[in-house]
């Protein structure tokens, strides 16, 4: 308030002083240009200069404001488009999560040009197109994503590979992944996809070469990596058999493949079981016997115990002794008793074989055991015992038969037709 009062006093004194000067002497100003002259008092000239100064200042401010208005209009227009794109992107992503593919594709693709991250819009729209089976639109959207964000080539390439894999286009998918692997050799997701494609293509040699990289880069969880190794070497073992033209060559190639496997895998129960089944399938039972024996010693399994009784090793007596040793730890195991019966029969211990078969039937009546015992009794000439056995275990043979009325004993026999 004091400042305003002081300024008013100053203007008052200045006006009084200027007024006195104007009365004392009005002054003279002459402006001449060529033949034109303008005459006026000094004070009028000074007033004109002040007026012109303020008019020029006002004009410049008006011009600047008009420029700023245009810029503001453009900024407002761009901001409005960005807000609309943001809203459409949000609605498109919600539609995508709800499985409304058509709506998601339409909203995401239309809002991509003005979106903050057009790459996200194009990739999500491509996914929606793929879900609708529109492969052409999907490919076009992926190409737009690549053009919109060239530095995201790896991300776009991975999405393209996933799309090709979903379509079953394994060869193009493999080409895409190999190209990505050159650009990003340590990308673990590319490795995982590559492993999946190799498995789909049954290219087990390629899977074998990829496994060390998967382990080194921790691309798969340990349990998943073990499953991959088991699947890979199971198939390599099977393929090795096809390389031999004779049983002897098959046994040789299979053994080489087994021994060339990583050391820890030869101790894997799943692979060892598969290896023994392949040995048995090509008639190499003698080679399978020690492998099965080691597996049973490590982890007793009824399926392996049953298989041990079906094969013929190099030393039948030793094979029987091994099975007897296992009986000490599990004397009531029906499968082990069946195996002992078979091994006793191989060693021509007929009485012991009958005893073991009977004990196995007592623990678990099975058609397999009954058949073995019946065959042996028949060849021993034990007709009465065989008939008694069949009467006693008829339910094992006829399991699953419907309940039907049966004639009483002594009923008149049916006359022949």
């Amino acid at each position: 308030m004091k400042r305003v009062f002081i300024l008013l006093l100053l203007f008052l004194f200045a006006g009084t002083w200027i007024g006195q000067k104007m009365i004392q002497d009005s002054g003279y100003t002459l402006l001449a240009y060529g033949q034109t002259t303008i005459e006026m008092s000094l004070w009028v000239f000074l007033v004109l200069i002040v007026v012109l100064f303020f008019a020029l200042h006002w004009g410049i401010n008006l011009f600047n404001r008009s420029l700023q208005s245009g810029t503001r209009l453009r900024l407002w227009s761009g901001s409005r488009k960005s807000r609309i794109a943001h809203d459409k992107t949000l609605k498109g992503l919600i539609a995508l999560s709800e499985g409304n593919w058509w709506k998601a594709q339409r909203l995401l693709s239309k809002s991509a040009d003005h979106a903050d991250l057009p790459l996200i819009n194009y990739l999500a729209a491509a996914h929606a197109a793929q879900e609708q089976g529109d492969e052409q639109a999907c490919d076009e959207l992926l190409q737009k994503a690549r053009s919109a964000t060239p530095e995201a080539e790896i991300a776009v390439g991975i999405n393209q590979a996933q799309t090709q894999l979903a379509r079953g286009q394994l060869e193009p998918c493999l080409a895409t992944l190999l190209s990505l692997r050159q650009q990003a050799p340590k990308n673990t997701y590319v490795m995982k996809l590559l492993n999946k494609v190799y498995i789909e293509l049954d290219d087990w040699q390629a899977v074998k070469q990829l496994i060390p990289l998967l382990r080194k880069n921790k691309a798969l969880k340990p349990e998943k990596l073990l499953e991959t190794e088991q699947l890979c070497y199971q198939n390599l073992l099977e393929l090795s058999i096809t390389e031999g033209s004779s049983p002897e060559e098959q046994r040789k190639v299979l053994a080489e493949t087994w021994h060339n496997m990583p050391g820890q895998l030869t101790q894997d129960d799943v692979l060892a079981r598969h290896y023994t089944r392949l040995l048995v399938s090509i008639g190499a039972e003698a080679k399978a016997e020690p492998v099965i024996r080691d597996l049973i010693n490590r982890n007793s399994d009824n399926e392996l115990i049953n298989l041990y009784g079906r094969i013929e090793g190099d030393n039948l007596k030793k094979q029987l002794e091994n099975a007897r040793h296992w009986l000490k730890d599990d004397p009531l195991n029906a499968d082990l008793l069946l195996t002992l019966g078979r091994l006793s029969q191989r060693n021509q211990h007929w009485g012991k074989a009958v005893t073991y078969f009977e004990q196995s039937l007592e623990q678990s009546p099975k058609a397999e055991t009954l058949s073995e015992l019946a065959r042996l009794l028949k060849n021993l000439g034990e007709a009465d015992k065989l008939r008694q056995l069949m009467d006693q275990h008829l339910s094992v043979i006829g399991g699953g038969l419907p309940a039907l009325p049966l004639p009483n004993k002594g009923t008149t026999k049916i006359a022949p037709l």
Side-chain angles (χ1 to χ4, degrees):
M1 187 67 182
K2 290 182 179 181
R3 289 182 179 180
V4 175
F5 180 72
I6 292 173
L7 286 174
L8 288 174
L9 288 176
L10 289 175
F11 279 121
L12 181 62
F13 284 121
T16 303
W17 180 79
I18 292 173
Q20 290 178 350
K21 291 294 183 181
M22 292 176 65
I23 294 172
Q24 293 175 0
D25 186 2
S26 62
Y28 178 75
T29 302
L30 175 65
L31 298 175
Y33 182 77
Q35 301 298 321
T36 305
T37 59
I38 299 176
E39 297 179 4
M40 66 186 75
S41 67
L42 174 63
W43 300 108
V44 172
F45 176 71
L46 292 174
V47 171
L48 286 175
I49 290 176
V50 172
V51 171
L52 286 173
F53 170 78
F54 281 108
L56 181 63
H57 184 269
W58 178 81
I60 292 173
N61 285 339
L62 183 63
F63 179 73
N64 288 334
R65 287 179 181 179
S66 65
L67 292 178
Q68 290 177 359
S69 298
T71 302
R72 289 174 182 174
L73 181 62
R74 287 192 296 272
L75 291 174
W76 176 84
S77 178
S79 176
R80 180 174 177 274
K81 290 180 180 179
S82 179
R83 288 196 303 272
I84 293 174
H86 180 272
D87 292 340
K88 286 186 176 180
T89 299
L90 180 59
K91 292 178 181 178
L93 291 174
I94 292 174
L96 186 72
S97 64
E98 293 175 347
N100 193 340
W101 311 122
W102 179 83
K103 182 179 180 181
Q105 180 185 348
R106 181 174 60 84
L107 290 172
L108 291 167
S109 58
K110 284 188 175 181
S111 59
D113 291 338
H114 300 289
D116 296 332
L117 297 172
L119 175 68
I120 303 299
N121 287 60
Y122 284 128
L123 291 181
H127 175 68
Q130 173 63 23
E131 290 292 339
Q132 296 177 84
D134 192 346
E135 296 183 3
Q136 182 178 354
C138 177
D139 293 339
E140 291 175 356
L141 288 165
L142 287 174
Q143 185 57 43
K144 287 182 179 180
R146 186 177 283 106
S147 301
T149 316
E151 62 272 20
E153 175 62 29
I154 303 299
V156 177
I158 288 175
N159 277 268
Q160 184 177 6
Q162 289 176 318
T163 300
Q164 291 169 333
L165 184 60
R167 296 174 188 171
Q169 299 172 345
L170 298 179
E171 296 294 343
C173 181
L174 178 60
T176 301
L177 290 171
L178 290 176
S179 175
L180 289 173
R181 188 181 174 190
Q182 291 180 347
Q183 299 175 57
K186 294 185 178 181
N187 189 297
T188 56
Y189 193 62
V190 172
M191 293 181 191
K192 289 171 67 174
L193 288 175
L194 196 57
N195 178 61
K196 190 171 183 179
V197 172
Y198 281 143
I199 291 174
E200 292 288 337
L201 289 169
D202 289 331
D203 192 346
W204 303 109
Q205 287 294 341
V207 175
K208 176 184 174 182
Q209 295 175 4
L210 187 62
I211 284 174
L213 290 174
L214 294 171
R215 177 179 289 106
K216 179 180 179 181
N217 292 278
K218 298 181 179 179
L220 296 177
K221 293 182 179 180
E223 58 273 15
K224 186 64 177 177
L225 182 62
L226 177 59
E227 290 178 11
T228 301
E229 286 181 308
Q230 290 172 341
L231 181 62
C232 174
Y233 285 102
Q234 281 177 357
N235 282 275
L236 288 175
L237 288 169
E238 290 178 8
L239 288 172
S240 67
I241 297 177
T242 63
E243 297 176 7
S245 56
S246 66
E248 185 59 34
E249 289 182 0
Q250 288 178 330
R251 285 193 285 269
K252 182 179 179 182
V253 177
L254 180 60
E256 288 178 356
T257 305
W258 173 258
H259 292 298
N260 288 334
M261 286 169 45
Q264 74 276 10
L265 292 180
T266 58
Q267 302 298 316
D268 182 83
D269 284 359
V270 174
L271 288 172
R273 288 167 184 260
H274 195 68
Y275 176 54
T276 57
R277 293 190 187 98
L278 292 174
L279 286 171
V280 173
S281 70
I282 60 175
E285 296 182 357
K287 298 289 184 181
E289 187 273 329
V291 181
I292 299 175
R293 184 179 68 239
D294 290 342
L295 283 170
I296 295 173
N297 286 331
R298 290 204 305 264
N299 185 17
S300 181
D301 180 271
N302 287 337
E303 183 182 352
L304 288 174
I305 289 173
N306 189 298
L307 180 60
Y308 193 71
R310 290 176 173 271
I311 64 172
E312 182 176 346
D314 288 332
N315 190 332
L316 293 175
K317 183 179 179 181
K318 183 66 176 177
Q319 194 173 349
L320 178 58
E321 291 177 359
N322 292 329
R324 284 175 177 168
H325 177 73
W326 298 328
L327 190 64
K328 296 177 181 179
D329 298 325
D330 196 0
L332 301 180
N333 188 319
D335 288 285
L336 181 53
L337 291 166
L338 172 60
T339 291
L340 280 165
R342 284 170 169 162
L343 293 176
S344 297
Q345 193 170 333
R346 285 187 187 277
N347 284 272
Q348 300 183 15
H349 300 165
W350 316 121
K352 291 297 295 183
V354 170
T355 302
Y356 283 129
F357 287 144
E358 289 176 340
Q359 290 176 352
S360 179
L361 280 172
E362 289 176 4
Q363 298 302 321
S364 178
K366 295 181 181 178
E368 181 183 12
T369 309
L370 181 61
S371 298
E372 288 285 12
L373 180 55
R375 181 175 62 173
L376 181 56
L377 290 175
K378 179 182 177 181
N379 285 274
L380 288 173
E382 298 284 351
D384 293 337
K385 194 169 184 179
L386 175 59
R387 185 168 49 254
Q388 181 183 357
L389 174 71
M390 300 306 290
D391 290 340
Q392 182 180 356
H393 295 284
L394 184 62
S395 60
V396 176
I397 301 174
L401 295 178
L404 298 174
L406 296 172
N408 296 323
K409 290 182 180 180
T411 303
T412 304
K413 294 182 179 180
I414 300 175
L417 295 176

